[in-house]
Amino acid sequence: MLDNKKTATLNVHGRTLELPVHSPTLGPDVIDIRKLYAEGDVFTYDPGFTSTASCESTITYIDGDEGVLLYRGYSIDDLAEKSHFLEVCYILLYGDLPTAEQLEDFETRVTHHTMLHEQMQYFFRGFRRDAHPMATMVGVVGAMSAFYHDSTDIGDPWQREVAAIRMIAKMPTIAAWAYKYSVGQPFVYPRNDLDYASNFLRMCFAVPAEDYEVNPILARAMDRIMTLHADHEQNASTSTVRLAGSSGANPFACIAAGIACLWGPAHGGANQACLEMLQEIGTVDRIPEFIRRAKDKDDPFRLMGFGHRVYKNFDPRAKVMKQSADEVLGLLGVENNETLQVAKELERIALEDDYFVSKKLYPNVDFYSGIILEAMGFPTSMFTPIFALSRTVGWISQWKEMIADPSQKIGRPRQLYVGPPHRPYIEVEDR
Ligand code: SDX
């Protein structure tokens, strides 16, 4: 419940408005401007929402200055080290650590929803083989809204629960089949005797011609990557899911909208763009050229995997990812990976350069993830689909929270109109 003890005074157009100020559990106070237009006849203006809270949430908290990320109060460092992805899914969906019995029940329910309706295969086959797997995922996840009619009454908590389980369970199958289709190999069905991450790796890399043994090192690394990407407050794709869901749209269609937004190189597409950038740099001696370009206002080039709207310190996920990259590549015997060396040297040079230090640009979650995924055998085109399958639990948890929030309304921002005033229509012969 929001407290209304404090207020902010605003003097505008000769009026003095007292606006309620609400205090959070963690983070800055917020000024409640819901009555601003009605009482003050003005809008606020905040393109990109750099200073705007769009909702009240209990799910994830980021302290950008301290480089802290909490899922339901549990730190990402603790969860990455001590938990596993399906337990993190439970925490994000239901708010607390599960008992052993609750966890077993949840994992059993997810495991038994990993298959797709057999007819959904036809959607994959409608794409060109060279379609980007993110395009395929947007299409196939959107198509789920045409297949699962028994979980679309968003007013029914049980149907919301079923839709959430279905989304979390089926996304690895969809991502794996998008990959298989792109490489011309047959789809591999999920297996109920494998854990979530192992199932995904097997669906990606198994072939009918020979058995596939899941490497436990890679499975643990993949599970940790999923945990690190699971949720992140009101980022662009989560805000897209909330906005789509605020109209009462089909939950699967809302997740498809989130996937579309995540694809952009400024957001989840940065992991693919970052590895391609590191490969373009190629060797350590070419780093200064790219640092110069990143600082050049006339050059659109940016250091992909660097900078963040919220983190003005090290992204805690990047720290864990960097440790995991060292561990996985070392265990795979490729610790001298040139791309990893370029990434580490690029990070070192950038963090000594005043341009990056003054703008508080640090490596983000996308800077090291691609190095691990490439070492696992994934093409760069699969990096963002893996981000999408990991973020699905965050999107669906935020969507559930919004739908259940009695104060939620359809999202409908206003604007600062700077176009032409009213003017008369002129017949074409008179122009
Ligand atoms: C994700 O929101 C989330 O939580 C997202 C995410 C999640 O988990 O959901 O964390 C996932 O999207 C991580 C970010 C992945 N994107 C990239 O790595 C792409 C490269 N980074 C940038 O495009 C940029 O840093 C953003 C988009 C991430 C943030 O941009 P902002 O907050 O809008 O900041 P800005 O563009 O206004 O930049 C501030 C200044 C600018 O210089 P000035 O105009 O002030 O002179 O910093 C510069 C920018 O030019 N800058 C960079 C830079 N990022 C910002 N300069 C060079 N290289 C960069 N990467």
Side-chain angles (χ1 to χ4, degrees):
M1 193 55 193
L2 296 177
D3 70 69
N4 288 308
K5 299 186 186 67
K6 295 180 282 189
T7 62
T9 303
L10 178 66
N11 296 308
V12 63
H13 294 334
R15 299 179 194 176
T16 299
L17 305 177
E18 289 300 319
L19 300 170
V21 173
H22 307 309
S23 296
T25 313
L26 294 170
D29 284 356
V30 299
I31 299 175
D32 186 335
I33 59 167
R34 282 177 286 186
K35 292 191 170 24
L36 178 64
Y37 181 49
E39 294 176 4
D41 198 26
V42 290
F43 296 148
T44 58
Y45 180 63
D46 186 14
F49 312 116
T50 53
S51 304
T52 296
S54 60
C55 64
E56 190 182 331
S57 182
T58 62
I59 299 174
T60 294
Y61 174 70
I62 301 170
D63 183 328
D65 295 327
E66 298 301 318
V68 169
L69 170 57
L70 307 177
Y71 291 164
R72 301 287 192 176
Y74 302 105
S75 84
I76 194 65
D77 309 89
D78 278 352
L79 294 172
E81 183 192 340
K82 300 168 184 168
S83 185
H84 63 278
F85 183 65
L86 279 189
E87 182 176 73
V88 168
C89 288
Y90 185 99
I91 294 166
L92 289 170
L93 279 169
Y94 305 114
D96 286 305
L97 290 170
T99 62
E101 187 183 3
Q102 288 168 329
L103 181 58
E104 185 185 0
D105 169 64
F106 178 72
E107 293 188 338
T108 301
R109 288 161 67 206
V110 171
T111 300
H112 289 82
H113 280 80
T114 51
M115 286 180 67
L116 298 182
H117 188 296
E118 192 68 0
Q119 268 187 246
M120 288 195 72
Q121 290 196 26
Y122 299 124
F123 290 112
F124 292 86
R125 302 192 195 289
F127 287 89
R128 284 176 39 154
R129 290 282 182 179
D130 59 354
H132 194 292
M134 284 297 278
T136 309
M137 287 183 77
V138 169
V140 172
V141 173
M144 286 180 71
S145 52
F147 269 79
Y148 296 99
H149 296 302
D150 64 342
S151 60
T152 56
D153 172 4
I154 61 170
D156 175 353
W158 172 244
Q159 291 194 40
R160 294 203 294 268
E161 176 80 7
V162 170
I165 296 290
R166 277 185 169 138
M167 266 299 38
I168 293 165
K170 297 180 191 310
M171 201 59 90
T173 310
I174 292 169
W177 287 15
Y179 169 60
K180 283 308 215 186
Y181 185 73
S182 74
V183 294
Q185 292 181 358
F187 297 137
V188 175
Y189 287 86
R191 274 193 8 206
N192 292 351
D193 61 329
L194 295 176
D195 65 69
Y196 194 87
S198 300
N199 222 347
F200 173 63
L201 289 172
R202 182 180 169 277
M203 286 191 282
C204 287
F205 298 124
V207 290
E210 61 183 36
D211 287 344
Y212 175 80
E213 276 302 306
V214 177
N215 180 330
I217 298 162
L218 299 190
R220 177 65 190 135
M222 177 54 71
D223 187 276
R224 187 182 296 135
I225 285 174
M226 292 171 172
T227 290
L228 294 174
H229 287 83
D231 193 46
H232 216 237
E233 284 191 357
Q234 306 311 319
N235 58 84
S237 53
T238 298
S239 298
T240 300
V241 172
R242 277 183 173 257
L243 195 56
S246 72
S247 73
N250 179 289
F252 303 117
C254 294
I255 299 298
I259 297 172
C261 177
L262 184 76
W263 193 2
H267 191 11
N271 54 18
Q272 172 174 347
C274 180
L275 194 90
E276 288 165 353
M277 173 192 74
L278 293 172
Q279 289 170 336
E280 185 188 356
I281 293 173
T283 54
V284 166
D285 62 320
R286 291 193 65 208
I287 290 174
E289 170 198 340
F290 285 83
I291 294 275
R292 181 188 52 72
R293 285 186 57 197
K295 292 157 61 173
D296 179 354
K297 279 275 161 262
D298 298 324
D299 188 329
F301 174 78
R302 285 194 164 182
L303 278 190
M304 302 314 283
F306 253 77
H308 199 277
R309 171 62 56 77
V310 175
Y311 289 122
K312 301 309 172 191
N313 195 326
F314 237 96
D315 181 332
R317 303 168 297 176
K319 280 185 184 170
V320 178
M321 205 73 84
K322 183 177 179 181
Q323 291 159 7
S324 189
D326 278 332
E327 177 191 318
V328 171
L329 273 67
L331 290 166
L332 291 175
V334 289
E335 59 273 18
N336 297 321
N337 174 293
E338 178 84 64
T339 309
L340 179 59
Q341 303 317 317
V342 169
K344 287 183 173 180
E345 183 62 6
L346 176 58
E347 174 194 327
R348 186 190 66 76
I349 294 173
L351 296 186
E352 289 177 353
D353 186 296
D354 184 55
Y355 173 92
F356 295 92
V357 173
S358 63
K359 293 178 187 297
K360 299 184 178 180
L361 301 174
Y362 290 86
N364 59 48
V365 68
D366 295 312
F367 191 65
Y368 285 102
S369 56
I371 292 166
I372 304 172
L373 295 173
E374 186 194 43
M376 288 180 174
F378 288 103
T380 55
S381 61
M382 276 302 291
F383 293 2
T384 311
I386 289 167
F387 192 152
L389 82 83
S390 308
R391 182 56 55 89
T392 296
V393 61
W395 289 329
I396 209 84
S397 299
Q398 300 269 352
W399 171 81
K400 281 182 72 187
E401 180 178 69
M402 178 201 65
I403 298 293
D405 179 351
S407 69
Q408 79 95 10
K409 303 161 76 77
I410 188 168
R412 206 289 187 202
R414 303 306 300 271
Q415 63 179 7
L416 170 64
Y417 178 69
V418 292
H422 179 256
R423 52 186 171 164
Y425 181 83
I426 297 168
E427 296 302 332
V428 65
E429 57 272 13
D430 299 330
R431 291 174 198 161

